[in-house]
Amino acid sequence: IDWQRSGDYTDIIYETAEGIAKITINRPERHNAFRPQTLFELQDAFNAARDDSEVGVIILTGAGDQAFCSGGDQKIRGDDGYMGDDTVARQGIGRLNVLDLQVQIRRLPKPVIAMVAGYAIGGGHVLHVCCDLTIAADNARFGQTGPKVGSFDGGYGSWLLAETVGLKKAREIWYLCRQYSAQEAQDMGLVNTVVPLERLEEETVTWAREMLEKSPLALRMLKGAINAKSDGAAGMQQFAGDATMLFYMSEEAQEGRDAFKEKRRPEFDRFPRRP
Ligand code: 2NE
């Protein structure tokens, strides 16, 4: 696959090919831990992939084969969050901006695949949990570390994990902070499949291509539907927005718009009162 690189980023790489966007966290010297700048860039890249109508599937991964992502960069963690170089940090204020990225991954209406080699740990583990699918290399290691390093994720990191692997297992993962192999992760339904490291990208691209053959609107509605239950009112709001989008695409809705512009009464009698 012939990836084409674009964007002016320092902490990530953004590439596209054949309707797939690949977003790579590029801080391998810190096992792809994220700092605020990394998250701003990830948000920008995910927006680019969302807005690009050629893109149907997004892959999130980490540079190298040692780590997908090791969570928040503990070396720039301040007393109230993670410190960047921006104005807010210069005022001595930290950020927890990974939460915005989690919401963005959940809400963008295209499937996101986590392609995991090596560690998916801490906030990096939560990111893969937020992705629609996870393809793991056989060297992948999964786990949470919050209670070891003085942190926790009480949002998607807790209850979406519990929805994925069950309550007892989610408690074990958080309370004990153990690491789990790729095979163990597959056994508990945390990942979709495990492949040899050298076949990781090939397999992930195969899954992406298979989804690209499917109806984009059907996939969009399914992602919204599956998320709506656990996202409560926010999930329903997105699903309702999709219903409005579909309605706008109908002749019935267009008749309302046209009648307004033509300053006439709308002729809704043409449309059936569906059972
Ligand atoms: C991932 C793990 C288990 C790997 O261990 P190992 O022994 O294979 O590698 P090593 O030597 O620890 O890591 C290699 C280099 O990467 C850095 C290390 O410090 C080391 O560099 P040097 O010190 O030798 O120069 N590195 C790795 N992870 C880093 C990190 N997160 N921040 C900064 N530097 C990091 C092992 O490295 C590990 O346990 N890492 C820490 C995982 C962790 O606790 N992450 C934060 C969880 S909290 C969080 O992400 C969070 C949240 O809970 C809520 C909101 C926002 C964020």
Side-chain angles (χ1 to χ4, degrees):
I1 185 159
D2 185 19
W3 295 113
Q4 299 296 316
R5 198 163 167 161
S6 62
D8 189 16
Y9 299 119
T10 58
D11 286 19
I12 70 161
I13 300 167
Y14 182 69
E15 295 162 293
T16 51
E18 301 178 24
I20 306 168
K22 183 168 72 157
I23 302 173
T24 306
I25 305 173
N26 191 22
R27 305 187 74 221
E29 69 287 355
R30 298 213 178 166
H31 278 340
N32 298 317
F34 49 76
R35 56 179 179 166
Q37 176 69 19
T38 322
L39 294 162
F40 294 137
E41 293 185 4
L42 285 169
Q43 285 180 281
D44 191 74
F46 272 104
N47 264 336
R50 178 178 185 157
D51 284 348
D52 185 342
S53 58
E54 299 284 309
V55 168
V57 176
I58 300 160
I59 297 171
L60 175 63
T61 193
D65 56 16
Q66 294 304 301
F68 168 76
C69 176
S70 62
D73 186 330
Q74 298 306 297
K75 292 172 184 166
I76 51 98
R77 181 171 153 188
D79 291 345
D80 62 348
Y82 296 85
M83 310 303 286
D85 305 325
D86 55 313
T87 323
V88 170
R90 281 198 294 277
Q91 292 164 357
I93 300 166
R95 291 184 185 270
L96 279 173
N97 51 342
V98 72
L99 306 176
D100 297 333
L101 176 67
Q102 296 170 1
V103 171
Q104 187 183 10
I105 291 173
R106 294 278 290 177
R107 289 207 136 205
L108 77 83
K110 299 175 182 181
V112 181
I113 311 175
M115 181 168 86
V116 178
Y119 293 107
I121 291 278
H125 189 258
V126 178
L127 283 182
H128 106 87
V129 169
C130 288
C131 291
D132 296 281
L133 301 168
T134 299
I135 314 288
D138 50 10
N139 76 334
R141 306 282 300 167
F142 297 87
Q144 299 295 159
T145 61
K148 265 204 305 202
V149 298
S151 181
F152 66 93
D153 183 328
Y156 285 131
S158 295
W159 43 267
L160 192 55
L161 181 67
E163 212 169 277
T164 309
V165 300
L167 284 164
K168 297 279 184 190
K169 205 72 196 173
R171 290 192 191 101
E172 174 190 315
I173 290 170
W174 273 104
Y175 295 178
L176 280 71
C177 297
R178 288 183 183 165
Q179 287 179 14
Y180 301 86
S181 69
Q183 191 54 55
E184 288 171 314
Q186 184 169 23
D187 293 345
M188 66 174 110
L190 192 55
V191 308
N192 294 87
T193 192
V194 179
V195 293
L197 176 60
E198 59 276 13
R199 284 198 41 239
L200 179 62
E201 183 164 301
E202 181 193 333
E203 184 71 13
T204 308
V205 167
T206 300
W207 283 54
R209 285 184 179 136
E210 227 172 298
M211 286 188 280
L212 286 168
E213 289 166 3
K214 309 296 184 296
S215 153
L217 265 178
L219 296 189
R220 177 190 183 109
M221 298 308 286
L222 283 164
K223 176 164 181 170
I226 290 168
N227 289 354
K229 186 163 162 271
S230 37
D231 284 353
M236 282 310 296
Q237 192 262 358
Q238 165 146 1
F239 208 49
D242 281 345
T244 308
M245 180 191 75
L246 290 174
F247 182 49
Y248 266 43
M249 291 158 72
S250 72
E251 277 186 43
E252 188 176 328
Q254 289 159 17
E255 167 61 10
R257 173 201 62 194
D258 293 346
F260 176 81
K261 289 201 300 188
E262 292 160 17
K263 300 188 185 303
R264 60 173 173 82
R265 281 170 66 95
E267 291 169 16
F268 288 126
D269 287 350
R270 296 198 271 134
F271 303 100
R273 265 75 177 156
R274 293 179 188 279

